[in-house]
Amino acid sequence: MNDFSAAQRSRVTMLDVAEHAKVSKASVSRFIGDDRALLSDAIAQRIEQSIAELGYRPNQMARGLKRGRTRLIGMLVADIRNPYSIAVMHGVETACRQYGYSLVVCNTDRDDEQERQHLALLRSYNIEGLIVNTLGHHRDELLELHREMPLVLVDRKVEHLESDMVGLNNPAAAEMALAHLEERGYRDVLLVTEPFDGTSSRIERVASFKTQIAQRPMLRGTLIETGSELTAQLNTFLDTPGPGPKALFCANGIAALASTHALRELKCNLFEDVGLIALDDLDWYPLVGTGITALAQPTSEIGASAFECLLKRLRGDDGAVRTLDFSARLVVRGSTTRRVSV
Amino acid sequence: MNDFSAAQRSRVTMLDVAEHAKVSKASVSRFIGDDRALLSDAIAQRIEQSIAELGYRPNQMARGLKRGRTRLIGMLVADIRNPYSIAVMHGVETACRQYGYSLVVCNTDRDDEQERQHLALLRSYNIEGLIVNTLGHHRDELLELHREMPLVLVDRKVEHLESDMVGLNNPAAAEMALAHLEERGYRDVLLVTEPFDGTSSRIERVASFKTQIAQRPMLRGTLIETGSELTAQLNTFLDTPGPGPKALFCANGIAALASTHALRELKCNLFEDVGLIALDDLDWYPLVGTGITALAQPTSEIGASAFECLLKRLRGDDGAVRTLDFSARLVVRGSTTRRVSV
DNA sequence: CTGTTAGCGCGTTCAT
DNA sequence: ATGAACGCGCTAACAG
């Protein structure tokens, strides 16, 4: 039927419109662009008519080639299946659209080689700015790109890369978590984090946790990483006598998922045997046991801010590097409500 | 410091490489493209050297402009926050990369106007093919696009749009669900679906459900939609005497989330008072109550197949329209394991 | 206000 | 095997 392969799919071009309306290409270009004011009503009418009749759509590739402005923003995401990333991405995309930009998302699946390839790719498509939510190995490529375009980091810093950054105020979040746990009567807290891989937010959360523990003499703090040993380690924590009621602090949604899985394997009575507070607020938190208490991140705002940072730079802002730290919001559910002992 | 605004960010171009290597642009072009075989070793060496030294990257925009091949695939998604969409998208992206294509994703947030805008956008960027996972209003625009490029539907059909389609074998899935429920001793089944909005898969699932019920004299079947009334309607279902043990069949992950929420509000004992089986298999299903029995969709395969359909067409396949129906896989958990009455 | 001209970066005939 | 010249679709100077 149709042949989409070698044949140039002949689309209607600016020249077609110009001829149809009996004007020059320049006039059509002005009509398309921001110079419509310069056209006489008569001509504008004819052009509008022709565009409608022919179904003309300007070719962004060609526009971009000429003007150097593609209206494209790139986003590099470490793990597209992490709900946090999706939520932020949604925020970014909404902001993009609002300002007439489009978003090209590249998922690296936590793979360094893919990160490299995607960076080259985004560059080859002449994106105007880049949002990075990966570990940012390949520093050289990032630096090179940063010389060509503005760049903003989301959630995770990249060493030796001076650029705008938007994320969570991790020390404050850790403080909220431990203050809440202490107030609710928990005394023995286990931080569950994904394995250390250099992710700055992860490191910050652990450091902040330790700081908080040091400042709260009533609390004891311990730390484990998710992985094949998780269930066993959790078991040890639960079995070891401590200074009082025990609770888990999961450093993100993935850790919360893994921990809850493990607790179930241990036949734990959710959440009477042990309390739980988790960073991120996922839609299923209310459904597990008596509900999981969360520290929600303002993901939409984070995404929108990331784009706005980019936009400012695109518009010529040469100011100093900015860091935006958003605050988490405490959502109390059953997992930090201790049952009064009978 | 840097100025990213008006200034043309001067990137190294093919001409730069040519001059540096003291050859013509044509030779560089051949080196970049598929004609490298035509070059003498000496020249190829020099070009390779120059490219490395200058850090040259071909401009995909310009290439696409000339050859009509952008190596870009577009995907229109109704709801980026639906885990199903994400999973399929991940499958598509993986397949894309494997064949040297990149994916541009547009999220419509279930909004018709956004669908229209995104379609225009994708077209303006000269994508080579389109994957559609929306309601597909704006039939005219879709038809027009389909004349220009191959198109494949995912999960939901679009009326009067004859194109390849990949999705779930819904009748078979409904059969699996009801056979399982019946075998497990449930007799009174309530189908919970999102509101009807024309989504074909939704309609098919409901129709298949009714067919199955008609063929199973031991079962009684009822139907409700998610929404503000859900909890009340669920309550009615639970309170109304029926032919035997009651169970819910949730038509997708969203319905499962909403239903579980409602059951909790009703202080239901999950899942002793009522059974539950849900389409889609989300990572939190095992964590709720005794675990939610699922009919998992092979989302990666669905995504990969969608891309492969496109690829075949791009390579000139003019054959008849294809429809690929994948089968669901039953994952039994506690929610369909009835406790023996004491 | 409008048309003419000259590229943007690249691929592709043609010659040589 | 290599280079010169033209054009992809469009915008930006410059005239008029």
Side-chain angles (χ1 to χ4, degrees):
Chain A
M1 209 177 184
N2 291 309
D3 181 28
F4 304 121
S5 48
Q8 302 280 13
R9 343 181 214 94
S10 68
R11 292 218 331 227
V12 24
T13 155
M14 178 178 274
L15 185 60
D16 299 329
V17 177
E19 287 173 350
H20 185 100
K22 303 195 198 312
V23 296
S24 72
K25 286 194 303 175
S27 295
V28 181
S29 174
R30 289 178 182 120
F31 184 88
I32 297 302
D34 301 324
D35 299 330
R36 197 174 315 190
L38 301 182
L39 294 177
S40 70
D41 284 358
I43 287 218
Q45 290 273 334
R46 293 219 305 277
I47 296 181
E48 189 163 17
Q49 176 84 14
S50 300
I51 288 183
E53 270 183 45
L54 274 47
Y56 167 70
R57 296 283 151 199
N59 184 328
Q60 286 291 351
M61 297 286 154
R63 301 186 96 179
L65 187 57
K66 183 62 187 170
R67 304 204 299 184
R69 301 178 59 195
T70 55
R71 294 285 168 185
L72 246 34
I73 296 292
M75 181 167 180
L76 206 57
V77 175
D79 181 5
I80 196 76
R81 284 174 292 193
N82 183 330
Y84 169 84
S85 299
I86 296 290
V88 171
M89 178 180 139
H90 187 255
V92 173
E93 205 231 356
T94 304
C96 277
R97 192 176 46 246
Q98 199 173 333
Y99 290 92
Y101 281 79
S102 300
L103 186 66
V104 182
V105 179
C106 288
N107 172 224
T108 68
D109 268 342
R110 300 160 180 253
D111 178 63
D112 281 356
E113 177 54 20
Q114 280 192 45
E115 173 175 329
R116 214 182 53 71
Q117 286 183 17
H118 282 314
L119 280 174
L121 183 95
L122 287 171
R123 195 174 164 204
S124 77
Y125 281 107
N126 287 13
I127 57 169
E128 292 183 37
L130 182 60
I131 296 176
V132 176
N133 176 35
T134 67
L135 281 178
H137 300 156
H138 307 291
R139 229 188 313 286
D140 295 342
E141 319 232 357
L142 278 173
L143 281 168
E144 201 172 344
L145 243 89
H146 193 19
R147 287 207 323 264
E148 293 177 6
M149 66 186 73
L151 186 154
V152 45
L153 266 23
V154 169
D155 187 65
R156 16 188 111 180
K157 297 196 178 80
V158 173
E159 280 184 42
H160 307 297
L161 183 60
E162 285 206 12
S163 75
D164 295 339
M165 150 101 204
V166 30
L168 188 72
N169 185 337
N170 289 304
E175 213 245 310
M176 286 179 73
L178 290 181
H180 177 68
L181 289 177
E182 183 166 1
E183 183 211 321
R184 289 301 175 103
Y186 296 100
R187 293 295 175 259
D188 195 8
V189 183
L190 177 68
L191 178 68
V192 183
T193 173
E194 286 189 271
F196 287 99
D197 58 357
T199 306
S200 69
S201 53
R202 212 163 285 171
I203 295 172
E204 280 183 20
R205 286 170 197 179
V206 171
S208 307
F209 172 78
K210 289 179 176 166
T211 305
Q212 284 295 319
I213 289 294
Q215 291 174 2
R216 296 174 184 272
M218 296 177 67
L219 297 189
R220 183 173 84 169
T222 332
L223 162 71
I224 63 174
E225 299 178 6
T226 58
S228 55
E229 306 293 315
L230 180 61
T231 308
Q233 292 178 300
L234 224 48
N235 196 23
T236 306
F237 169 73
L238 294 174
D239 281 352
T240 308
K246 296 176 189 296
L248 266 44
F249 174 21
C250 296
N252 71 8
I254 311 277
L257 184 70
S259 300
T260 316
H261 257 291
L263 287 179
R264 286 181 56 98
E265 274 185 46
L266 295 172
K267 310 282 185 206
C268 245
N269 205 343
L270 304 178
F271 289 94
E272 296 180 26
D273 302 340
V274 59
L276 175 61
I277 185 169
L279 245 161
D280 291 342
D281 189 17
L282 308 191
D283 49 17
W284 51 267
Y285 278 7
L287 303 180
V288 176
T290 50
I292 297 178
T293 294
L295 287 169
Q297 296 199 52
T299 48
S300 287
E301 285 178 61
I302 289 176
S305 298
F307 175 76
E308 280 154 17
C309 269
L310 238 41
L311 197 62
K312 273 186 190 150
R313 298 298 184 185
L314 283 171
R315 291 184 174 167
D317 179 351
D318 284 10
V321 166
R322 263 188 305 272
T323 299
L324 294 179
D325 279 332
F326 283 86
S327 296
R329 183 173 48 84
L330 179 66
V331 183
V332 179
R333 301 200 178 90
S335 70
T336 51
T337 305
R338 291 203 306 128
R339 268 263 268 280
V340 181
S341 314
V342 198
Chain B
M1 208 175 185
N2 291 309
D3 181 30
F4 304 122
S5 48
Q8 301 280 12
R9 336 178 220 100
S10 69
R11 294 216 335 224
V12 24
T13 155
M14 179 179 271
L15 185 60
D16 298 329
V17 177
E19 287 173 349
H20 185 100
K22 303 193 197 313
V23 296
S24 71
K25 288 194 302 177
S27 296
V28 181
S29 173
R30 288 177 184 121
F31 185 88
I32 297 302
D34 301 325
D35 300 330
R36 196 174 314 190
L38 301 183
L39 294 177
S40 69
D41 284 358
I43 287 220
Q45 289 274 335
R46 292 221 303 277
I47 295 180
E48 189 162 16
Q49 176 83 15
S50 299
I51 288 183
E53 270 182 45
L54 273 48
Y56 167 70
R57 296 284 152 199
N59 183 328
Q60 286 292 349
M61 297 284 150
R63 303 186 95 180
L65 188 57
K66 184 63 186 170
R67 302 204 303 184
R69 301 180 59 195
T70 55
R71 294 288 172 183
L72 246 33
I73 295 292
M75 181 167 180
L76 205 57
V77 174
D79 182 4
I80 195 78
R81 284 173 291 191
N82 183 329
Y84 170 85
S85 299
I86 297 290
V88 172
M89 179 181 138
H90 187 254
V92 173
E93 206 232 355
T94 304
C96 276
R97 191 177 45 247
Q98 198 174 333
Y99 289 92
Y101 281 79
S102 301
L103 186 65
V104 181
V105 179
C106 288
N107 173 225
T108 69
D109 267 342
R110 301 162 181 255
D111 178 63
D112 280 356
E113 176 53 21
Q114 280 193 44
E115 173 174 331
R116 213 184 53 70
Q117 287 183 18
H118 282 315
L119 280 174
L121 182 95
L122 287 171
R123 196 173 163 204
S124 78
Y125 280 108
N126 288 12
I127 57 168
E128 293 184 38
L130 182 60
I131 295 176
V132 175
N133 176 34
T134 67
L135 282 179
H137 299 156
H138 308 291
R139 227 187 314 288
D140 295 344
E141 318 232 0
L142 277 173
L143 281 168
E144 202 172 343
L145 249 107
H146 193 18
R147 288 207 323 265
E148 292 177 6
M149 66 185 72
L151 185 155
V152 45
L153 267 23
V154 169
D155 186 65
R156 16 187 110 181
K157 298 195 177 82
V158 173
E159 280 185 42
H160 307 297
L161 182 61
E162 286 205 11
S163 76
D164 295 338
M165 150 101 203
V166 28
L168 188 73
N169 185 337
N170 289 304
E175 213 245 309
M176 287 178 73
L178 289 180
H180 178 67
L181 289 178
E182 184 167 1
E183 182 211 323
R184 290 301 175 103
Y186 296 99
R187 293 294 175 261
D188 194 9
V189 183
L190 178 68
L191 178 68
V192 183
T193 174
E194 285 190 272
F196 286 100
D197 59 357
T199 305
S200 69
S201 53
R202 212 163 285 172
I203 295 172
E204 279 183 20
R205 285 170 199 178
V206 171
S208 307
F209 173 77
K210 289 179 176 166
T211 305
Q212 284 294 319
I213 289 294
Q215 291 173 2
R216 296 172 185 273
M218 296 176 67
L219 297 189
R220 183 174 82 168
T222 333
L223 162 72
I224 62 173
E225 298 178 6
T226 57
S228 55
E229 305 293 313
L230 181 61
T231 307
Q233 291 178 300
L234 223 50
N235 196 23
T236 306
F237 170 73
L238 294 174
D239 281 352
T240 308
K246 296 177 188 298
L248 266 44
F249 175 19
C250 295
N252 70 10
I254 311 277
L257 184 69
S259 300
T260 317
H261 258 290
L263 287 178
R264 286 181 56 98
E265 274 184 46
L266 295 172
K267 311 282 183 205
C268 246
N269 205 340
L270 303 178
F271 289 96
E272 296 181 23
D273 303 339
V274 58
L276 175 62
I277 186 169
L279 245 162
D280 291 341
D281 189 17
L282 308 191
D283 50 17
W284 51 267
Y285 278 7
L287 304 180
V288 176
T290 50
I292 297 178
T293 294
L295 287 168
Q297 295 199 51
T299 48
S300 286
E301 285 178 61
I302 290 176
S305 297
F307 175 76
E308 280 156 17
C309 268
L310 237 41
L311 197 62
K312 273 187 190 153
R313 299 298 184 186
L314 283 171
R315 291 184 172 167
D317 179 351
D318 286 10
V321 167
R322 263 188 305 273
T323 299
L324 294 179
D325 280 332
F326 283 86
S327 296
R329 183 173 48 83
L330 180 65
V331 183
V332 179
R333 299 200 179 91
S335 70
T336 51
T337 305
R338 292 202 307 127
R339 268 264 268 280
V340 181
S341 312
V342 196

